[in-house]
Amino acid sequence: MTFPSITTTPRRKDLDWLLEDFIQRVPGVQQAVLGSRDGVKLSFAGLGDDDADQLAAVMSSLYALGRGEVTVPGHDVRQVIIETDDGFTYVMSSGGEMPADAGAAVVRSVVGVRTSTDADPGVVGHEMVRLITGVAEHLLTPTRSPGQ
């Protein structure tokens, strides 16, 4: 039996420094991941490769669940927050305006962070928005063609 080759979105190691800076700069933030909307990790900081895979998949799922709740056309999910016994997980779309010439070639990514219980939600949310808006054009994910 022959299986088709699978091509994934390439990892964006060039953005690891940005996420490293984020977890160093924002109090309580322990881990950060940039992922495609379909759950592929693109860049990460503060966790290992396998854990980044898992967090990217979780972020994608949370974001998709949130989008399922939006019933007004033209509106989208801004943020999803999950509280656990040991902290919070924040998920945001990379947001911003899509380039006019992008067409269907790219989609927005999802940014997620995990924090300790003492992290200030307002500060974390504000800093995530600053991160996303500051480099929004670099947070787009190329779409995969059928069969990839």
Side-chain angles (χ1 to χ4, degrees):
M1 175 179 251
T2 304
F3 294 98
S5 63
I6 298 174
T7 304
T8 60
T9 304
R11 177 143 182 258
R12 297 286 315 266
K13 290 184 181 184
D14 60 325
L15 294 177
D16 286 356
W17 71 270
L18 192 64
L19 297 179
E20 285 286 347
D21 177 68
F22 187 82
I23 64 175
Q24 295 298 318
R25 191 173 42 79
V26 182
V29 174
Q30 300 169 330
Q31 303 167 338
V33 173
L34 169 67
S36 64
R37 282 198 176 174
D38 61 354
V40 177
K41 72 174 180 279
L42 302 173
S43 186
F44 58 93
L47 65 169
D49 203 47
D50 289 341
D51 289 335
D53 280 333
Q54 180 181 4
L55 183 53
V58 167
M59 290 178 349
S60 172
S61 298
L62 289 172
Y63 186 77
L65 285 170
R67 286 192 80 191
E69 182 62 21
V70 176
T71 58
V72 179
H75 288 79
D76 206 354
V77 174
R78 292 185 191 178
Q79 182 178 38
V80 177
I81 303 172
I82 300 293
E83 181 180 6
T84 63
D85 290 337
D86 59 348
F88 297 87
T89 300
Y90 298 79
V91 179
M92 286 187 184
S93 171
S94 62
E97 293 297 317
M98 294 290 282
D101 60 347
V106 294
V107 294
R108 292 180 185 93
S109 300
V110 179
V111 177
V113 300
R114 284 188 179 147
T115 71
S116 60
T117 56
D118 60 346
D120 182 326
V123 170
V124 173
H126 173 75
E127 291 296 331
M128 286 181 75
V129 169
R130 279 188 54 201
L131 170 77
I132 290 166
T133 57
V135 294
E137 68 274 9
H138 300 288
L139 301 181
L140 299 173
T141 305
T143 56
R144 291 185 281 250
S145 61
Q148 288 187 310

